[in-house]
Amino acid sequence: MGVALVLQATHAHAADPEQEAKRTELYREGMADGEKGNWSSAVKKFRDVVAIRSAPKALIALAIALEKTGHFAEARRTYARALADAHTLGPSHGDEARAANEALTRITPKVPRITPLLPSDVAARAYVVDGEKLDLQDGAIDVDVGSHSLDVES
């Protein structure tokens, strides 16, 4: 006996129309803040937008605001998430996928990185930077400029 399993990616929609209206207003406010150069305020508004319902367009807006405020590592992770989500959602999100991919290419050289060097007898299972588990990418961890705490779980 065979069993067929069908998986389908769908948009995560906010159940509440009021939340969607709030999301739309926050997005507009974030765009207006960005146009005025008030990027810190735009970051907060776009975070709220994504918290209500994430979508590639909102993630790209958040990533741009993060980039403008000098948070290159977080911007890079957010562009990568936008790219992955756009690919998951399919061809109708091709413009967002292209924009996120171009932004990743542009921002990657700007991202500060730390390279943990561990004794050969220590195998790291996870790296925790400032309380957040982050993955090694090409042997290094993307971080924003500043002081950081690094914990290695082995």
Side-chain angles (χ1 to χ4, degrees):
M1 177 168 93
V3 177
L5 177 63
V6 177
L7 300 175
Q8 180 176 351
T10 61
H11 284 285
H13 293 286
D16 184 358
E18 287 180 25
Q19 286 294 308
E20 278 298 307
K22 179 179 177 182
R23 181 182 183 277
T24 299
E25 182 59 26
L26 285 166
Y27 185 85
R28 287 184 186 137
E29 290 174 7
M31 294 299 285
D33 286 343
E35 288 173 11
K36 294 177 200 167
N38 190 355
W39 293 107
S40 293
S41 179
V43 166
K44 177 169 180 355
K45 299 224 173 99
F46 292 137
R47 282 189 199 285
D48 291 345
V49 167
V50 170
I52 293 170
R53 181 177 54 81
S54 183
K57 183 177 175 181
L59 289 167
I60 290 169
L62 173 58
I64 290 168
L66 288 164
E67 187 175 357
K68 295 289 188 178
T69 57
H71 293 91
F72 298 118
E74 188 177 358
R76 184 180 186 281
R77 288 190 295 272
T78 305
Y79 283 128
R81 182 175 161 199
L83 178 62
D85 288 359
H87 281 292
T88 298
L89 293 170
S92 65
H93 292 273
D95 290 342
E96 289 102 336
R98 278 186 292 284
N101 192 48
E102 289 170 9
L104 279 167
T105 300
R106 183 189 71 251
I107 197 173
T108 296
K110 298 178 185 179
V111 179
R113 308 187 86 201
I114 56 174
T115 303
L117 300 175
L118 303 175
S120 60
D121 62 334
V122 175
R125 287 191 340 241
Y127 296 93
V128 181
V129 178
D130 303 328
E132 180 182 358
K133 279 189 179 183
L134 297 175
D135 295 326
L136 282 179
Q137 296 180 5
D138 300 321
I141 302 168
D142 294 349
V143 295
D144 285 320
V145 173
S147 299
H148 299 280
S149 67
L150 171 64
D151 295 313
V152 178
E153 296 178 358
S154 57

PDB file of all heavy atoms in Angstrom, residues 60-92:
ATOM      1  N   ILE A  60      12.650  42.622   3.128  1.00  0.00           N
ATOM      2  CA  ILE A  60      13.603  43.449   2.371  1.00  0.00           C
ATOM      3  C   ILE A  60      13.585  44.875   2.912  1.00  0.00           C
ATOM      4  O   ILE A  60      14.644  45.487   3.094  1.00  0.00           O
ATOM      5  CB  ILE A  60      13.308  43.393   0.866  1.00  0.00           C
ATOM      6  CG1 ILE A  60      13.664  41.999   0.331  1.00  0.00           C
ATOM      7  CG2 ILE A  60      14.075  44.479   0.115  1.00  0.00           C
ATOM      8  CD1 ILE A  60      13.183  41.720  -1.079  1.00  0.00           C
ATOM      9  N   ALA A  61      12.409  45.404   3.197  1.00  0.00           N
ATOM     10  CA  ALA A  61      12.328  46.754   3.770  1.00  0.00           C
ATOM     11  C   ALA A  61      13.053  46.812   5.108  1.00  0.00           C
ATOM     12  O   ALA A  61      13.810  47.757   5.381  1.00  0.00           O
ATOM     13  CB  ALA A  61      10.867  47.170   3.926  1.00  0.00           C
ATOM     14  N   LEU A  62      12.860  45.799   5.949  1.00  0.00           N
ATOM     15  CA  LEU A  62      13.553  45.730   7.235  1.00  0.00           C
ATOM     16  C   LEU A  62      15.061  45.650   7.021  1.00  0.00           C
ATOM     17  O   LEU A  62      15.833  46.359   7.679  1.00  0.00           O
ATOM     18  CB  LEU A  62      13.050  44.538   8.052  1.00  0.00           C
ATOM     19  CG  LEU A  62      13.806  44.244   9.349  1.00  0.00           C
ATOM     20  CD1 LEU A  62      13.797  45.441  10.291  1.00  0.00           C
ATOM     21  CD2 LEU A  62      13.210  42.996  10.021  1.00  0.00           C
ATOM     22  N   ALA A  63      15.489  44.810   6.095  1.00  0.00           N
ATOM     23  CA  ALA A  63      16.924  44.651   5.835  1.00  0.00           C
ATOM     24  C   ALA A  63      17.555  45.953   5.354  1.00  0.00           C
ATOM     25  O   ALA A  63      18.674  46.301   5.768  1.00  0.00           O
ATOM     26  CB  ALA A  63      17.153  43.529   4.819  1.00  0.00           C
ATOM     27  N   ILE A  64      16.861  46.677   4.499  1.00  0.00           N
ATOM     28  CA  ILE A  64      17.380  47.973   4.027  1.00  0.00           C
ATOM     29  C   ILE A  64      17.558  48.922   5.207  1.00  0.00           C
ATOM     30  O   ILE A  64      18.594  49.583   5.348  1.00  0.00           O
ATOM     31  CB  ILE A  64      16.446  48.577   2.958  1.00  0.00           C
ATOM     32  CG1 ILE A  64      16.528  47.770   1.664  1.00  0.00           C
ATOM     33  CG2 ILE A  64      16.791  50.052   2.706  1.00  0.00           C
ATOM     34  CD1 ILE A  64      15.441  48.097   0.646  1.00  0.00           C
ATOM     35  N   ALA A  65      16.558  48.990   6.079  1.00  0.00           N
ATOM     36  CA  ALA A  65      16.637  49.875   7.247  1.00  0.00           C
ATOM     37  C   ALA A  65      17.770  49.436   8.176  1.00  0.00           C
ATOM     38  O   ALA A  65      18.505  50.276   8.710  1.00  0.00           O
ATOM     39  CB  ALA A  65      15.299  49.895   7.979  1.00  0.00           C
ATOM     40  N   LEU A  66      17.933  48.139   8.365  1.00  0.00           N
ATOM     41  CA  LEU A  66      19.039  47.636   9.190  1.00  0.00           C
ATOM     42  C   LEU A  66      20.378  48.019   8.575  1.00  0.00           C
ATOM     43  O   LEU A  66      21.305  48.438   9.288  1.00  0.00           O
ATOM     44  CB  LEU A  66      18.937  46.116   9.344  1.00  0.00           C
ATOM     45  CG  LEU A  66      17.820  45.615  10.246  1.00  0.00           C
ATOM     46  CD1 LEU A  66      17.579  44.129  10.022  1.00  0.00           C
ATOM     47  CD2 LEU A  66      18.152  45.899  11.716  1.00  0.00           C
ATOM     48  N   GLU A  67      20.485  47.872   7.272  1.00  0.00           N
ATOM     49  CA  GLU A  67      21.719  48.230   6.569  1.00  0.00           C
ATOM     50  C   GLU A  67      22.012  49.719   6.747  1.00  0.00           C
ATOM     51  O   GLU A  67      23.157  50.108   7.017  1.00  0.00           O
ATOM     52  CB  GLU A  67      21.575  47.868   5.096  1.00  0.00           C
ATOM     53  CG  GLU A  67      22.819  48.021   4.284  1.00  0.00           C
ATOM     54  CD  GLU A  67      22.655  47.538   2.856  1.00  0.00           C
ATOM     55  OE1 GLU A  67      21.584  47.015   2.468  1.00  0.00           O
ATOM     56  OE2 GLU A  67      23.634  47.691   2.104  1.00  0.00           O
ATOM     57  N   LYS A  68      20.994  50.549   6.623  1.00  0.00           N
ATOM     58  CA  LYS A  68      21.173  51.998   6.758  1.00  0.00           C
ATOM     59  C   LYS A  68      21.604  52.402   8.168  1.00  0.00           C
ATOM     60  O   LYS A  68      22.218  53.445   8.351  1.00  0.00           O
ATOM     61  CB  LYS A  68      19.891  52.743   6.383  1.00  0.00           C
ATOM     62  CG  LYS A  68      19.495  52.593   4.936  1.00  0.00           C
ATOM     63  CD  LYS A  68      20.428  53.359   4.040  1.00  0.00           C
ATOM     64  CE  LYS A  68      19.907  53.375   2.611  1.00  0.00           C
ATOM     65  NZ  LYS A  68      20.754  54.151   1.720  1.00  0.00           N
ATOM     66  N   THR A  69      21.278  51.577   9.169  1.00  0.00           N
ATOM     67  CA  THR A  69      21.671  51.878  10.546  1.00  0.00           C
ATOM     68  C   THR A  69      22.973  51.175  10.931  1.00  0.00           C
ATOM     69  O   THR A  69      23.367  51.206  12.094  1.00  0.00           O
ATOM     70  CB  THR A  69      20.556  51.493  11.546  1.00  0.00           C
ATOM     71  OG1 THR A  69      20.239  50.110  11.408  1.00  0.00           O
ATOM     72  CG2 THR A  69      19.317  52.344  11.341  1.00  0.00           C
ATOM     73  N   GLY A  70      23.630  50.542   9.951  1.00  0.00           N
ATOM     74  CA  GLY A  70      24.929  49.927  10.210  1.00  0.00           C
ATOM     75  C   GLY A  70      24.876  48.525  10.786  1.00  0.00           C
ATOM     76  O   GLY A  70      25.904  47.982  11.182  1.00  0.00           O
ATOM     77  N   HIS A  71      23.711  47.913  10.808  1.00  0.00           N
ATOM     78  CA  HIS A  71      23.565  46.541  11.311  1.00  0.00           C
ATOM     79  C   HIS A  71      23.677  45.562  10.132  1.00  0.00           C
ATOM     80  O   HIS A  71      22.709  44.928   9.737  1.00  0.00           O
ATOM     81  CB  HIS A  71      22.236  46.391  12.053  1.00  0.00           C
ATOM     82  CG  HIS A  71      22.185  47.173  13.312  1.00  0.00           C
ATOM     83  ND1 HIS A  71      21.709  48.459  13.370  1.00  0.00           N
ATOM     84  CD2 HIS A  71      22.594  46.857  14.564  1.00  0.00           C
ATOM     85  CE1 HIS A  71      21.813  48.898  14.609  1.00  0.00           C
ATOM     86  NE2 HIS A  71      22.357  47.958  15.350  1.00  0.00           N
ATOM     87  N   PHE A  72      24.888  45.483   9.601  1.00  0.00           N
ATOM     88  CA  PHE A  72      25.105  44.719   8.372  1.00  0.00           C
ATOM     89  C   PHE A  72      24.874  43.226   8.539  1.00  0.00           C
ATOM     90  O   PHE A  72      24.336  42.581   7.638  1.00  0.00           O
ATOM     91  CB  PHE A  72      26.507  44.980   7.824  1.00  0.00           C
ATOM     92  CG  PHE A  72      26.744  46.423   7.457  1.00  0.00           C
ATOM     93  CD1 PHE A  72      27.717  47.168   8.100  1.00  0.00           C
ATOM     94  CD2 PHE A  72      25.991  47.042   6.479  1.00  0.00           C
ATOM     95  CE1 PHE A  72      27.940  48.500   7.774  1.00  0.00           C
ATOM     96  CE2 PHE A  72      26.193  48.375   6.137  1.00  0.00           C
ATOM     97  CZ  PHE A  72      27.176  49.101   6.793  1.00  0.00           C
ATOM     98  N   ALA A  73      25.291  42.663   9.659  1.00  0.00           N
ATOM     99  CA  ALA A  73      25.117  41.214   9.847  1.00  0.00           C
ATOM    100  C   ALA A  73      23.641  40.849   9.924  1.00  0.00           C
ATOM    101  O   ALA A  73      23.188  39.901   9.278  1.00  0.00           O
ATOM    102  CB  ALA A  73      25.855  40.751  11.102  1.00  0.00           C
ATOM    103  N   GLU A  74      22.887  41.607  10.707  1.00  0.00           N
ATOM    104  CA  GLU A  74      21.457  41.325  10.809  1.00  0.00           C
ATOM    105  C   GLU A  74      20.759  41.594   9.476  1.00  0.00           C
ATOM    106  O   GLU A  74      19.847  40.859   9.080  1.00  0.00           O
ATOM    107  CB  GLU A  74      20.824  42.148  11.930  1.00  0.00           C
ATOM    108  CG  GLU A  74      19.384  41.752  12.195  1.00  0.00           C
ATOM    109  CD  GLU A  74      18.747  42.500  13.352  1.00  0.00           C
ATOM    110  OE1 GLU A  74      19.415  43.318  14.011  1.00  0.00           O
ATOM    111  OE2 GLU A  74      17.545  42.251  13.574  1.00  0.00           O
ATOM    112  N   ALA A  75      21.197  42.630   8.772  1.00  0.00           N
ATOM    113  CA  ALA A  75      20.626  42.913   7.450  1.00  0.00           C
ATOM    114  C   ALA A  75      20.889  41.743   6.509  1.00  0.00           C
ATOM    115  O   ALA A  75      19.991  41.313   5.780  1.00  0.00           O
ATOM    116  CB  ALA A  75      21.211  44.202   6.878  1.00  0.00           C
ATOM    117  N   ARG A  76      22.109  41.217   6.543  1.00  0.00           N
ATOM    118  CA  ARG A  76      22.447  40.077   5.672  1.00  0.00           C
ATOM    119  C   ARG A  76      21.553  38.874   5.982  1.00  0.00           C
ATOM    120  O   ARG A  76      21.023  38.229   5.074  1.00  0.00           O
ATOM    121  CB  ARG A  76      23.917  39.705   5.828  1.00  0.00           C
ATOM    122  CG  ARG A  76      24.365  38.600   4.898  1.00  0.00           C
ATOM    123  CD  ARG A  76      25.865  38.306   5.129  1.00  0.00           C
ATOM    124  NE  ARG A  76      26.382  37.357   4.184  1.00  0.00           N
ATOM    125  CZ  ARG A  76      26.209  36.035   4.265  1.00  0.00           C
ATOM    126  NH1 ARG A  76      25.508  35.519   5.248  1.00  0.00           N
ATOM    127  NH2 ARG A  76      26.728  35.236   3.348  1.00  0.00           N
ATOM    128  N   ARG A  77      21.375  38.573   7.273  1.00  0.00           N
ATOM    129  CA  ARG A  77      20.505  37.444   7.647  1.00  0.00           C
ATOM    130  C   ARG A  77      19.064  37.700   7.194  1.00  0.00           C
ATOM    131  O   ARG A  77      18.361  36.778   6.766  1.00  0.00           O
ATOM    132  CB  ARG A  77      20.559  37.209   9.160  1.00  0.00           C
ATOM    133  CG  ARG A  77      21.865  36.602   9.639  1.00  0.00           C
ATOM    134  CD  ARG A  77      21.817  36.158  11.094  1.00  0.00           C
ATOM    135  NE  ARG A  77      21.645  37.251  12.039  1.00  0.00           N
ATOM    136  CZ  ARG A  77      22.635  37.954  12.565  1.00  0.00           C
ATOM    137  NH1 ARG A  77      23.889  37.695  12.231  1.00  0.00           N
ATOM    138  NH2 ARG A  77      22.374  38.911  13.439  1.00  0.00           N
ATOM    139  N   THR A  78      18.625  38.947   7.274  1.00  0.00           N
ATOM    140  CA  THR A  78      17.250  39.280   6.889  1.00  0.00           C
ATOM    141  C   THR A  78      17.075  39.199   5.374  1.00  0.00           C
ATOM    142  O   THR A  78      16.049  38.693   4.887  1.00  0.00           O
ATOM    143  CB  THR A  78      16.865  40.669   7.434  1.00  0.00           C
ATOM    144  OG1 THR A  78      17.086  40.673   8.855  1.00  0.00           O
ATOM    145  CG2 THR A  78      15.409  40.997   7.157  1.00  0.00           C
ATOM    146  N   TYR A  79      18.057  39.674   4.609  1.00  0.00           N
ATOM    147  CA  TYR A  79      17.998  39.497   3.147  1.00  0.00           C
ATOM    148  C   TYR A  79      17.966  38.012   2.792  1.00  0.00           C
ATOM    149  O   TYR A  79      17.223  37.598   1.893  1.00  0.00           O
ATOM    150  CB  TYR A  79      19.206  40.141   2.466  1.00  0.00           C
ATOM    151  CG  TYR A  79      19.173  41.641   2.326  1.00  0.00           C
ATOM    152  CD1 TYR A  79      20.243  42.418   2.774  1.00  0.00           C
ATOM    153  CD2 TYR A  79      18.100  42.302   1.721  1.00  0.00           C
ATOM    154  CE1 TYR A  79      20.244  43.797   2.629  1.00  0.00           C
ATOM    155  CE2 TYR A  79      18.090  43.680   1.575  1.00  0.00           C
ATOM    156  CZ  TYR A  79      19.163  44.424   2.026  1.00  0.00           C
ATOM    157  OH  TYR A  79      19.162  45.790   1.884  1.00  0.00           O
ATOM    158  N   ALA A  80      18.780  37.207   3.486  1.00  0.00           N
ATOM    159  CA  ALA A  80      18.812  35.764   3.207  1.00  0.00           C
ATOM    160  C   ALA A  80      17.449  35.127   3.497  1.00  0.00           C
ATOM    161  O   ALA A  80      16.979  34.270   2.734  1.00  0.00           O
ATOM    162  CB  ALA A  80      19.913  35.094   4.033  1.00  0.00           C
ATOM    163  N   ARG A  81      16.821  35.559   4.571  1.00  0.00           N
ATOM    164  CA  ARG A  81      15.480  35.050   4.895  1.00  0.00           C
ATOM    165  C   ARG A  81      14.476  35.474   3.828  1.00  0.00           C
ATOM    166  O   ARG A  81      13.628  34.682   3.401  1.00  0.00           O
ATOM    167  CB  ARG A  81      15.058  35.562   6.269  1.00  0.00           C
ATOM    168  CG  ARG A  81      13.726  35.055   6.726  1.00  0.00           C
ATOM    169  CD  ARG A  81      13.444  35.506   8.150  1.00  0.00           C
ATOM    170  NE  ARG A  81      12.024  35.414   8.442  1.00  0.00           N
ATOM    171  CZ  ARG A  81      11.421  36.044   9.421  1.00  0.00           C
ATOM    172  NH1 ARG A  81      12.108  36.819  10.237  1.00  0.00           N
ATOM    173  NH2 ARG A  81      10.122  35.914   9.606  1.00  0.00           N
ATOM    174  N   ALA A  82      14.569  36.720   3.366  1.00  0.00           N
ATOM    175  CA  ALA A  82      13.670  37.196   2.306  1.00  0.00           C
ATOM    176  C   ALA A  82      13.859  36.378   1.037  1.00  0.00           C
ATOM    177  O   ALA A  82      12.885  36.003   0.381  1.00  0.00           O
ATOM    178  CB  ALA A  82      13.915  38.680   2.028  1.00  0.00           C
ATOM    179  N   LEU A  83      15.112  36.097   0.694  1.00  0.00           N
ATOM    180  CA  LEU A  83      15.401  35.298  -0.502  1.00  0.00           C
ATOM    181  C   LEU A  83      14.819  33.894  -0.369  1.00  0.00           C
ATOM    182  O   LEU A  83      14.157  33.400  -1.285  1.00  0.00           O
ATOM    183  CB  LEU A  83      16.913  35.242  -0.737  1.00  0.00           C
ATOM    184  CG  LEU A  83      17.383  34.407  -1.919  1.00  0.00           C
ATOM    185  CD1 LEU A  83      16.835  34.947  -3.222  1.00  0.00           C
ATOM    186  CD2 LEU A  83      18.916  34.373  -1.946  1.00  0.00           C
ATOM    187  N   ALA A  84      15.043  33.258   0.778  1.00  0.00           N
ATOM    188  CA  ALA A  84      14.519  31.899   0.988  1.00  0.00           C
ATOM    189  C   ALA A  84      12.996  31.895   0.934  1.00  0.00           C
ATOM    190  O   ALA A  84      12.390  31.014   0.298  1.00  0.00           O
ATOM    191  CB  ALA A  84      15.011  31.359   2.328  1.00  0.00           C
ATOM    192  N   ASP A  85      12.364  32.874   1.575  1.00  0.00           N
ATOM    193  CA  ASP A  85      10.900  32.936   1.561  1.00  0.00           C
ATOM    194  C   ASP A  85      10.363  33.189   0.154  1.00  0.00           C
ATOM    195  O   ASP A  85       9.365  32.594  -0.254  1.00  0.00           O
ATOM    196  CB  ASP A  85      10.392  34.019   2.509  1.00  0.00           C
ATOM    197  CG  ASP A  85      10.560  33.660   3.981  1.00  0.00           C
ATOM    198  OD1 ASP A  85      11.056  32.550   4.286  1.00  0.00           O
ATOM    199  OD2 ASP A  85      10.204  34.504   4.829  1.00  0.00           O
ATOM    200  N   ALA A  86      11.032  34.067  -0.599  1.00  0.00           N
ATOM    201  CA  ALA A  86      10.594  34.352  -1.968  1.00  0.00           C
ATOM    202  C   ALA A  86      10.690  33.100  -2.831  1.00  0.00           C
ATOM    203  O   ALA A  86       9.780  32.809  -3.624  1.00  0.00           O
ATOM    204  CB  ALA A  86      11.414  35.493  -2.570  1.00  0.00           C
ATOM    205  N   HIS A  87      11.771  32.334  -2.666  1.00  0.00           N
ATOM    206  CA  HIS A  87      11.906  31.080  -3.426  1.00  0.00           C
ATOM    207  C   HIS A  87      10.808  30.093  -3.035  1.00  0.00           C
ATOM    208  O   HIS A  87      10.233  29.422  -3.898  1.00  0.00           O
ATOM    209  CB  HIS A  87      13.279  30.451  -3.213  1.00  0.00           C
ATOM    210  CG  HIS A  87      14.355  31.086  -4.011  1.00  0.00           C
ATOM    211  ND1 HIS A  87      14.438  31.014  -5.382  1.00  0.00           N
ATOM    212  CD2 HIS A  87      15.419  31.844  -3.623  1.00  0.00           C
ATOM    213  CE1 HIS A  87      15.488  31.673  -5.809  1.00  0.00           C
ATOM    214  NE2 HIS A  87      16.107  32.201  -4.764  1.00  0.00           N
ATOM    215  N   THR A  88      10.516  30.011  -1.746  1.00  0.00           N
ATOM    216  CA  THR A  88       9.475  29.096  -1.271  1.00  0.00           C
ATOM    217  C   THR A  88       8.113  29.466  -1.842  1.00  0.00           C
ATOM    218  O   THR A  88       7.323  28.598  -2.195  1.00  0.00           O
ATOM    219  CB  THR A  88       9.416  29.110   0.274  1.00  0.00           C
ATOM    220  OG1 THR A  88      10.669  28.651   0.776  1.00  0.00           O
ATOM    221  CG2 THR A  88       8.301  28.231   0.806  1.00  0.00           C
ATOM    222  N   LEU A  89       7.856  30.776  -1.935  1.00  0.00           N
ATOM    223  CA  LEU A  89       6.549  31.239  -2.415  1.00  0.00           C
ATOM    224  C   LEU A  89       6.394  31.138  -3.930  1.00  0.00           C
ATOM    225  O   LEU A  89       5.292  31.246  -4.445  1.00  0.00           O
ATOM    226  CB  LEU A  89       6.298  32.672  -1.941  1.00  0.00           C
ATOM    227  CG  LEU A  89       6.140  32.797  -0.424  1.00  0.00           C
ATOM    228  CD1 LEU A  89       6.144  34.261  -0.014  1.00  0.00           C
ATOM    229  CD2 LEU A  89       4.880  32.103   0.061  1.00  0.00           C
ATOM    230  N   GLY A  90       7.510  30.959  -4.645  1.00  0.00           N
ATOM    231  CA  GLY A  90       7.415  30.679  -6.063  1.00  0.00           C
ATOM    232  C   GLY A  90       7.627  31.854  -6.993  1.00  0.00           C
ATOM    233  O   GLY A  90       8.004  32.949  -6.582  1.00  0.00           O
ATOM    234  N   PRO A  91       7.372  31.618  -8.292  1.00  0.00           N
ATOM    235  CA  PRO A  91       7.669  32.591  -9.343  1.00  0.00           C
ATOM    236  C   PRO A  91       7.005  33.950  -9.172  1.00  0.00           C
ATOM    237  O   PRO A  91       7.531  34.952  -9.629  1.00  0.00           O
ATOM    238  CB  PRO A  91       7.166  31.909 -10.619  1.00  0.00           C
ATOM    239  CG  PRO A  91       7.094  30.468 -10.298  1.00  0.00           C
ATOM    240  CD  PRO A  91       6.829  30.375  -8.830  1.00  0.00           C
ATOM    241  N   SER A  92       5.875  34.000  -8.509  1.00  0.00           N
ATOM    242  CA  SER A  92       5.208  35.288  -8.334  1.00  0.00           C
ATOM    243  C   SER A  92       6.013  36.227  -7.438  1.00  0.00           C
ATOM    244  O   SER A  92       5.721  37.420  -7.371  1.00  0.00           O
ATOM    245  CB  SER A  92       3.800  35.097  -7.767  1.00  0.00           C
ATOM    246  OG  SER A  92       3.874  34.550  -6.457  1.00  0.00           O
TER     247      SER A  92
END
